[in-house]
Amino acid sequence: MEVFSEIQQGFQAVFSLEGILFILLGVLIGTVIGIMPGLGPITAIAVMIPVTYGLEPYLALFLMAGVYYGAVFGGSSSSILLNAPGSASTVATTFDGYPMAQKGEPGKALAIAAIASFIGGTVAIVLTTLFAPYLAVLATTFGPPEYFALMFLGLSAIATLSEGSMIRAFISAVLGLMIATIGIDSQTGTSRFTYGSENLMGGIDFLVVAMGLFALGEIGFLIVNRKEKSSEQMMTNYNMKLTKTDFKEMSGPASRHSVLGFLIGILPGAGATIGSFLSYLTEKRISKKPHEFGKGSIKGLTAPESANNAASTGSFIPLLSLGIPGSGTTALLLGALLVLGVQPGPTLMENDPQLFWGVIISMYIGNIFLLVINLPLIPYIARVLAIPKPLLISLVITFCFIGIYSVSFNVFDLYMLFAFGVLGYLMKRLAFPAAPFILAFILGGMMETSLRQSLTLSGGDWLVFVQQPISLVMLILAGLLIVTPILVPFIKKIKAK
């Protein structure tokens, strides 16, 4: 009964005039910032922190939480329409969202993304409401060995991302791992592959790599292949109507990956990026038509979109219950909470139930606002692709450079953006998939850190990775993912005989 009383306090905070207004304002601002290439959730939260000074803590958190999942929601639009992911969590959306838009169905792609995001967020909110105290305890069971096994499991699925040649996929992944090692070694303090450049000491920012490989790489390809049909000729269908078959195809991935994304999201340090990638890889692995992925598959778009929103919601559990941020964005939120005088941790639910449950309930309302606001606007958002190709190319390049410079205010990052744009073009030209590269780049650094922490804790004993059941199971799954593509052709040949 005490829990119901605490939840009631949360309802009272949310359904006040101020509560509703701040939630609506947050999702609106987040969506607008998220749509702009290069300006993701971190930028959105950073901009909003000064605005929250002097507000009631629960109202400030309503606003920033709305901005957070609004930016994740809005980031899908630039990923689908322009192949320009604004944040790491929407990279997987480009794999099938952009090809669907290229096929002349941008309205349909945006509608699928909106509905999948709503389902993912709603499922995660229900699970948070029911199991928040217990899931916080579960999150603490993940130590460095478990995190290493999780990252290794993600990397082992690179074969799934290969668009043809397996060799090209592995070469692409190795390049991503090499780029991830650039910068100061966090354990020894020595510089690696910086060649004396101070600008490389902190490594290469993810946004520079993603915007270069995907957005500028695609732009370079469009410029060189100007004889192809123009975007205004190709992108003519702004209809967002989905058939019963479409909804049936979405239902399985949306339900599966809302739960998977949520579970990944509650792990400190994992977050929406890993959740979206693992969901995409898992769905492709279990699909009866894996050859359709990467060519505008409904399942390939639904899986990461439901997962990244579910993971974004799930990341509030370690933030509020343990005081542990699960991503760069929630780390900013943690700092904002401390400035506001709120101490996240195990006692927050008891000491300030209005704030804890208010945030959870505000997410219900925020998800409804996002769907109601975005669905009617989809035909107008999709018309971005009707802009004449020369103007559209110029706008995308401008947004990319402004977005990167606004994050770091470093001209060197603009040179790096151009370099990765050239690399992205060459990879596309030579049929090297970019997805394994970006996955390896994201997971490489985290996997190395977890590996070193594990070996430090165990005194150099490699058995530490198989002594815990969670890490052991994930390593076995990773082994199966690596071995299966090699064994399947031999098994088919034996059966054929």
Side-chain angles (χ1 to χ4, degrees):
M1 294 299 291
E2 185 180 348
V3 173
F4 288 109
S5 174
E6 293 175 348
I7 293 176
Q8 187 177 5
Q9 292 182 49
F11 270 104
Q12 289 173 354
V14 170
F15 287 99
S16 62
L17 179 61
E18 297 92 340
I20 293 293
L21 286 175
F22 274 95
I23 295 168
L24 179 59
L25 184 63
V27 298
L28 281 172
I29 294 171
T31 302
V32 171
I33 293 178
I35 287 173
M36 299 179 187
L39 303 179
I42 292 181
T43 305
I45 293 293
V47 169
M48 295 310 298
I49 287 177
V51 179
T52 62
Y53 292 160
L55 291 176
E56 288 289 335
Y58 70 93
L59 292 176
L61 199 53
F62 289 177
L63 178 67
M64 289 190 289
V67 168
Y68 178 26
Y69 50 81
V72 173
F73 196 102
S76 306
S77 299
S78 60
S79 295
I80 290 169
L81 300 179
L82 305 174
N83 202 33
S87 65
S89 61
T90 58
V91 169
T93 302
T94 65
F95 298 162
D96 281 281
Y98 185 64
M100 191 178 290
Q102 284 185 308
K103 289 195 302 184
E105 298 178 317
K108 180 178 178 179
L110 290 168
I112 290 171
I115 294 169
S117 297
F118 175 75
I119 293 170
T122 303
V123 169
I125 292 161
V126 172
L127 292 174
T128 300
T129 305
L130 295 175
F131 304 113
Y134 312 104
L135 291 169
V137 175
L138 173 64
T140 61
T141 63
F142 263 66
E146 286 79 12
Y147 277 111
F148 172 80
L150 178 64
M151 306 304 165
F152 187 72
L153 177 62
L155 275 179
S156 66
I158 281 173
T160 306
L161 290 174
S162 61
E163 300 164 4
S165 170
M166 193 82 69
I167 299 298
R168 285 191 174 95
F170 280 113
I171 291 173
S172 181
V174 169
L175 284 173
L177 288 172
M178 290 169 65
I179 298 298
T181 61
I182 294 174
I184 296 291
D185 187 323
S186 58
Q187 190 167 19
T188 65
T190 57
S191 60
R192 302 185 297 186
F193 308 111
T194 60
Y195 302 101
S197 172
E198 293 182 2
N199 292 297
L200 290 174
M201 293 294 184
I204 299 176
D205 187 76
F206 161 79
L207 203 56
V208 173
V209 177
M211 297 291 280
L213 281 182
F214 290 93
L216 290 191
E218 182 67 27
I219 289 299
F221 195 79
L222 288 174
I223 292 172
V224 173
N225 296 276
R226 283 170 291 185
K227 293 182 180 180
E228 294 183 1
K229 289 194 292 183
S230 64
S231 58
E232 61 266 32
Q233 292 173 315
M234 294 173 63
M235 314 299 181
T236 55
N237 183 9
Y238 308 115
N239 187 2
M240 49 179 273
K241 185 178 179 181
L242 301 177
T243 64
K244 288 184 179 179
T245 304
D246 294 333
F247 279 111
K248 185 177 180 182
E249 201 166 348
M250 288 174 62
S251 60
S255 56
R256 283 190 291 271
H257 301 298
S258 294
V259 177
L260 176 60
F262 174 73
L263 293 174
I264 297 295
I266 67 171
L267 302 176
T273 304
I274 295 174
S276 62
F277 270 105
L278 285 181
S279 293
Y280 183 84
L281 296 169
T282 304
E283 189 60 35
K284 186 175 181 180
R285 175 66 66 178
I286 65 176
S287 174
K288 294 179 180 179
K289 300 177 181 178
H291 59 278
E292 294 182 355
F293 282 65
K295 301 174 183 177
S297 166
I298 291 177
K299 291 183 176 180
L301 176 56
T302 303
E305 274 300 295
S306 55
N308 66 22
N309 276 268
S312 298
T313 303
S315 66
F316 278 83
I317 290 181
L319 174 67
L320 297 176
S321 300
L322 303 172
I324 301 173
S327 64
T329 309
T330 49
L332 275 178
L333 283 171
L334 176 61
L337 285 174
L338 295 174
V339 169
L340 292 165
V342 177
Q343 181 60 57
T347 60
L348 180 63
M349 193 184 301
E350 298 176 5
N351 297 340
D352 199 346
Q354 183 186 54
L355 186 145
F356 184 90
W357 290 110
V359 171
I360 304 302
I361 295 163
S362 75
M363 294 180 186
Y364 284 102
I365 309 303
N367 268 276
I368 294 171
F369 281 158
L370 282 171
L371 194 66
V372 171
I373 291 168
N374 282 276
L375 277 180
L377 294 177
I378 282 174
Y380 304 101
I381 297 172
R383 289 182 186 275
V384 167
L385 296 172
I387 298 172
K389 185 184 284 187
L391 180 57
L392 182 61
I393 287 172
S394 302
L395 287 172
V396 173
I397 293 173
T398 302
F399 272 122
C400 286
F401 277 86
I402 290 175
I404 294 299
Y405 188 74
S406 65
V407 172
S408 64
F409 298 102
N410 188 348
V411 176
F412 181 80
D413 283 348
L414 301 183
Y415 292 120
M416 294 304 299
L417 174 65
F418 178 77
F420 279 102
V422 173
L423 178 62
Y425 166 75
L426 292 174
M427 290 178 70
K428 190 174 180 68
R429 190 78 179 178
L430 299 173
F432 280 83
F437 182 104
I438 203 73
L439 178 62
F441 177 78
I442 291 169
L443 297 184
M446 293 187 285
M447 190 170 78
E448 181 189 11
T449 300
S450 299
L451 173 66
R452 288 178 156 188
Q453 289 174 344
S454 301
L455 294 176
T456 299
L457 291 172
S458 67
D461 185 2
W462 288 82
L463 292 177
V464 67
F465 298 108
V466 296
Q467 289 171 346
Q468 299 298 324
I470 296 176
S471 58
L472 176 61
V473 169
M474 286 192 286
L475 288 174
I476 291 172
L477 289 173
L480 290 173
L481 285 174
I482 294 171
V483 172
T484 301
I486 301 172
L487 294 180
V488 166
F490 290 104
I491 295 172
K492 286 183 178 179
K493 286 183 181 178
I494 293 171
K495 286 184 177 181
K497 292 179 182 179

